[in-house]
Amino acid sequence: MIRRAKRRIVLSSLYIGTEETELIQTLHSALAANPTLSLSLHLDLLRSTRPESPSTASFLLPLIRSFGEDRVKVHLFRTPKLKGVMAKLVPRRFDEGWGTWHAKIYAIDDEVIVTSDVLVPTSCSGWPSANLNKSYFTDRQDRYLHFRAQPGLTNYMVDYGKTMIPFTHRLSPVDGTSSNYNLVWSNQTAGPMNFESNARDALIGLQDRYKELTKDNAVDNDGCDTTLFPVIQSGVLGMRQEEETIETLFDTLSKSSVPATVDLTSGYFGLYGPYKAKIIASPEHVQWRMVAAGPKANGFFGSKGISGRIPEAYTWFERRFWKTALRAGKISQGENSIIQLNEWERPSWTYHAKGIWVRFGDRSSAPTISLFGSTNLNGRSARLDTELSFLMLTSSPELSRALADEADNIREHATQVDGSTWGAPDRRVRWTTKAMAQAIIGML
């Protein structure tokens, strides 16, 4: 996609891994070959400026120097949640616990990849998830949806990034040095630590404009079989569209008399409390098949220090959910369990897929609703991170079949958990891990 770019490249991610030299070289070659091509990067400031050599920020400086700040723009979002004395006390390795820029979209001309592992074309879209480092391209299970020839969708992605530019720092090289840079805040109406309401109003304005645009184009879209609804979640900015959308979806499934099967997955399985409550309380005609990362597939498995306890903490979260579902009478062994919890593991792989697939009728039917994007469906995504996800409704048999294959392929590497799972010696959760997890549960 990058090599054939003609007009614009817009990449949004948590950060870009500094080992991704091939990606940077490809961007450099594309910009050199086409003087009218522009590049915009939207990344998280705290993650991109970690005190490491090189940091993501210093890694990107050669691109800016080669083509100038008019053609290569790097915008870094910093959570306003971490400020004052706390910002000075929290070690840099842990400051991302107060929230990050987590939206993961890759838009090139009129094509878009939303990270979330199926590449499918769609015939149309209405108005309108991952980080770019080596493991995401080699041994990490994720989701990727690729939309071709979709100028309306791409324009939305570009406008989403532009809407947030006034609330970001611009990365600017310092002349005469190879690795020094300035972080430039140019907003004259809001400061870098108190822009929440301004950003929220701007995002609401973006959503409202595209709603009106969709109404205006409704006649032209009569032949469409697929519609996307973008939902923005940023608890720190007061935007809760994803939360409202998911709760409405779950309520609708519960109130309907139509049987439904919901596949739900998250690499970091610490379901947001309101979602968990609705799942547990749902009637028997709604069946839930959930996939979480097994401990060895957790991205923090084998990490040093406190972060090495994170897979153990997620075992505790899983076990608590499973026991709650068991007490509610929703757990039984086998395919007939109303709530089925599975763990994904594959040798030497990590698991990062997240999303929701909804099938109506029996389980052999294909999904007609899917939620995909950057959200991990946990408390952190709801309260701290700035997320962009999409609810997709489709009547396309081809797309539905692709979504079914995607969800079924994920389940091929998943094993259903039961009471014996938690009794295994390697699944013991130390009391110190429980205490740590309880203290920072909203950050995991």
Side-chain angles (χ1 to χ4, degrees), residues 123-180:
S123 59
C124 56
S125 67
W127 75 289
S129 68
N131 317 308
L132 293 177
N133 67 17
K134 185 176 181 180
S135 68
Y136 281 80
F137 302 116
T138 54
D139 54 6
R140 191 175 181 99
Q141 175 72 54
D142 211 316
R143 296 186 72 192
Y144 301 87
L145 277 78
H146 183 190
F147 300 88
R148 299 181 179 91
Q150 297 297 318
L153 179 59
T154 311
N155 288 340
Y156 173 82
M157 304 291 197
V158 172
D159 287 344
Y160 172 75
K162 286 181 178 178
T163 299
M164 290 302 293
I165 286 176
F167 314 105
T168 62
H169 295 77
R170 179 171 52 84
L171 181 66
S172 179
V174 173
D175 291 339
T177 69
S178 61
S179 60
N180 292 345

Side-chain angles (χ1 to χ4, degrees), residues 13-24 43 47-48 52 54-57 59-60 106 130-137:
S13 192
L14 176 63
Y15 71 106
I16 294 178
T18 55
E19 71 276 16
E20 288 307 317
T21 54
E22 183 179 359
L23 173 63
I24 299 302
L43 308 170
R47 180 62 183 85
S48 296
E52 53 194 16
S55 66
T56 293
F59 183 61
L60 294 172
Y106 313 118
N131 317 308
L132 293 177
N133 67 17
K134 185 176 181 180
S135 68
Y136 281 80
F137 302 116

Side-chain angles (χ1 to χ4, degrees), residues 132-409:
L132 293 177
N133 67 17
K134 185 176 181 180
S135 68
Y136 281 80
F137 302 116
T138 54
D139 54 6
R140 191 175 181 99
Q141 175 72 54
D142 211 316
R143 296 186 72 192
Y144 301 87
L145 277 78
H146 183 190
F147 300 88
R148 299 181 179 91
Q150 297 297 318
L153 179 59
T154 311
N155 288 340
Y156 173 82
M157 304 291 197
V158 172
D159 287 344
Y160 172 75
K162 286 181 178 178
T163 299
M164 290 302 293
I165 286 176
F167 314 105
T168 62
H169 295 77
R170 179 171 52 84
L171 181 66
S172 179
V174 173
D175 291 339
T177 69
S178 61
S179 60
N180 292 345
Y181 54 82
N182 290 319
L183 299 174
V184 181
W185 179 269
S186 57
N187 192 322
Q188 300 300 312
T189 61
M193 292 299 166
N194 60 356
F195 60 86
E196 294 95 321
S197 61
N198 303 68
R200 179 179 179 274
D201 291 345
L203 289 171
I204 290 174
L206 169 73
Q207 300 296 74
D208 289 344
R209 288 197 305 275
Y210 272 85
K211 283 181 184 177
E212 291 302 315
L213 183 61
T214 300
K215 292 178 183 178
D216 294 341
N217 293 338
V219 175
D220 296 333
N221 288 336
D222 279 349
C224 289
D225 57 22
T226 302
T227 302
L228 297 182
F229 298 92
V231 288
I232 300 171
Q233 184 78 7
S234 181
V236 295
L237 302 181
M239 287 289 290
R240 298 191 170 274
Q241 293 180 344
E242 173 201 303
E243 187 176 340
E244 295 164 0
T245 298
I246 292 176
E247 292 189 11
T248 299
L249 173 62
F250 289 178
D251 285 342
T252 302
L253 294 174
S254 292
K255 292 174 182 177
S256 171
S257 59
V258 179
T261 299
V262 182
D263 288 294
L264 182 153
T265 189
S266 175
Y268 300 108
F269 194 84
L271 279 179
Y272 183 41
Y275 304 162
K276 181 166 57 177
K278 289 184 181 295
I279 291 170
I280 297 293
S282 63
E284 292 187 6
H285 72 265
V286 183
Q287 294 188 307
W288 304 83
R289 301 189 298 188
M290 310 172 119
V291 177
K296 293 180 181 179
N298 187 292
F300 291 94
F301 182 76
S303 294
K304 297 179 180 180
I306 293 176
S307 59
R309 297 283 191 103
I310 291 178
E312 190 178 318
Y314 279 105
T315 285
W316 187 49
F317 296 156
E318 277 185 61
R319 187 175 69 188
R320 291 201 306 177
F321 172 78
W322 184 87
K323 287 185 173 180
T324 301
L326 182 66
R327 287 194 296 269
K330 301 298 178 70
I331 295 284
S332 60
Q333 193 58 30
E335 287 293 319
N336 292 325
S337 182
I338 298 171
I339 295 177
Q340 184 185 124
L341 180 58
N342 305 272
E343 289 186 338
W344 190 98
E345 281 199 2
R346 188 176 177 183
S348 301
W349 280 58
T350 56
Y351 187 77
H352 198 249
K354 50 262 189 137
I356 297 171
W357 301 254
V358 181
R359 314 171 193 231
F360 294 100
D362 60 47
R363 290 181 176 180
S364 64
S365 62
T368 54
I369 299 175
S370 184
L371 181 106
F372 60 92
S374 63
T375 178
N376 282 307
L377 302 171
N378 58 11
R380 179 188 172 109
S381 286
R383 299 189 187 99
L384 295 175
D385 291 338
T386 298
E387 311 276 13
L388 177 62
S389 298
F390 294 84
L391 183 71
M392 179 164 63
L393 311 180
T394 185
S395 60
S396 164
E398 180 186 8
L399 180 53
S400 289
R401 189 67 258 160
L403 290 170
D405 290 343
E406 178 192 29
D408 293 344
N409 288 340

Side-chain angles (χ1 to χ4, degrees), residues 75-122:
H75 305 286
L76 303 176
F77 176 88
R78 187 193 186 284
T79 176
K81 185 84 171 177
L82 182 62
K83 52 190 169 185
V85 175
M86 187 63 72
K88 297 177 181 179
L89 294 177
V90 175
R92 281 305 312 271
R93 189 180 179 190
F94 301 106
D95 53 14
E96 296 158 44
W98 277 256
T100 65
W101 175 263
H102 204 240
K104 299 164 183 180
I105 50 177
Y106 313 118
I108 295 171
D109 292 340
D110 294 333
E111 291 184 69
V112 175
I113 290 180
V114 181
T115 59
S116 309
D117 250 81
V118 57
L119 299 183
V120 294
T122 74

Side-chain angles (χ1 to χ4, degrees), residues 414-435:
T415 303
Q416 188 173 355
V417 304
D418 57 27
S420 64
T421 302
W422 318 119
D426 62 345
R427 303 307 296 273
R428 184 177 68 87
V429 180
R430 291 164 283 187
W431 72 266
T432 50
T433 299
K434 293 178 184 179

Side-chain angles (χ1 to χ4, degrees), residues 54-66:
S55 66
T56 293
S58 58
F59 183 61
L60 294 172
L61 293 178
L63 269 180
I64 303 174
R65 287 197 177 91
S66 294

